[in-house]
Amino acid sequence: MYGKKRYDKVFTRSIGTYFVFGHRKIFLRSSWELIAAIYFCLRGWPINYEDTRVEYDNHTYLSDFRFGKSIWEIKGWIDNRAKLGQKAFENNGYKFRFVSRNEIEKMKIFIISKGVNIISILGKAYDCKRNGAIFRFDATEYLPETLNMAR
């Protein structure tokens, strides 16, 4: 999957993207996180990205997305560290949810149903990565309704 120009596939790692909406800018570390962020915007959910950290066994775990007391962790696979992070969040009163490849695919279908060409967006992100650049996705350009929720 890596190194091939296949925009219909989900490239999970190393596609750094600045996700801009309103006056906010966040740096997403993978295409799955980009898909999730677009999905959340289309749902009208305010994005809180990597803003909550918990401690466990002299380590810390940083959340991907937080909605109130609910953590959504984007994971291709669940390793021991992720399980420890889940337990630490739950011990601190959070609901914890791993978002799998199947859920990412469902998010893509929802995004496409809203008229957003996610395949083209992922292709542009991948081209930037291949050329040593960071993709800047302006949600205010592609998703004007996100301006109402940008706080």
Side-chain angles (χ1 to χ4, degrees):
M1 174 162 68
Y2 294 100
K4 294 182 180 178
K5 200 171 188 178
R6 295 280 313 270
Y7 301 144
D8 59 326
K9 298 292 181 186
V10 177
F11 295 89
T12 59
R13 302 291 290 167
S14 302
I15 296 181
T17 301
Y18 282 109
F19 185 83
V20 180
F21 54 106
H23 65 279
R24 292 190 58 199
K25 178 169 77 172
I26 56 177
F27 183 76
L28 303 170
R29 298 177 197 334
S30 74
S31 62
W32 284 13
E33 291 178 354
L34 175 59
I35 292 165
I38 293 169
Y39 173 83
F40 298 143
C41 275
L42 287 171
R43 288 280 189 196
W45 300 352
I47 294 175
N48 298 296
Y49 178 73
E50 290 189 342
D51 72 341
T52 307
R53 185 181 305 265
V54 293
E55 293 186 20
Y56 69 94
D57 300 334
N58 296 322
H59 298 284
T60 60
Y61 197 94
L62 186 62
S63 67
D64 282 341
F65 295 95
R66 180 186 57 79
F67 303 98
K69 293 293 273 182
S70 180
I71 301 295
W72 289 47
E73 187 70 17
I74 312 298
K75 283 286 181 205
W77 64 92
I78 301 169
D79 57 11
N80 191 49
R81 182 178 169 277
K83 290 178 186 175
L84 291 171
Q86 175 186 14
K87 187 174 181 178
F89 273 108
E90 289 172 347
N91 288 342
N92 281 281
Y94 289 91
K95 291 182 181 179
F96 194 94
R97 176 178 181 168
F98 285 113
V99 178
S100 67
R101 180 184 182 98
N102 288 341
E103 288 180 277
I104 292 296
E105 291 299 324
K106 289 176 185 175
M107 287 178 179
K108 282 174 54 180
I109 291 167
F110 176 82
I111 291 166
I112 291 166
S113 78
K114 296 298 182 182
V116 177
N117 189 343
I118 189 65
I119 305 305
S120 175
I121 293 167
L122 291 173
K124 290 175 186 176
Y126 182 72
D127 283 344
C128 284
K129 177 197 180 288
R130 189 183 58 176
N131 294 319
I134 295 175
F135 180 56
R136 183 181 186 275
F137 177 80
D138 189 345
T140 57
E141 176 184 339
Y142 288 88
L143 313 168
E145 62 271 21
T146 60
L147 282 173
N148 295 331
M149 55 155 277
R151 298 186 192 353

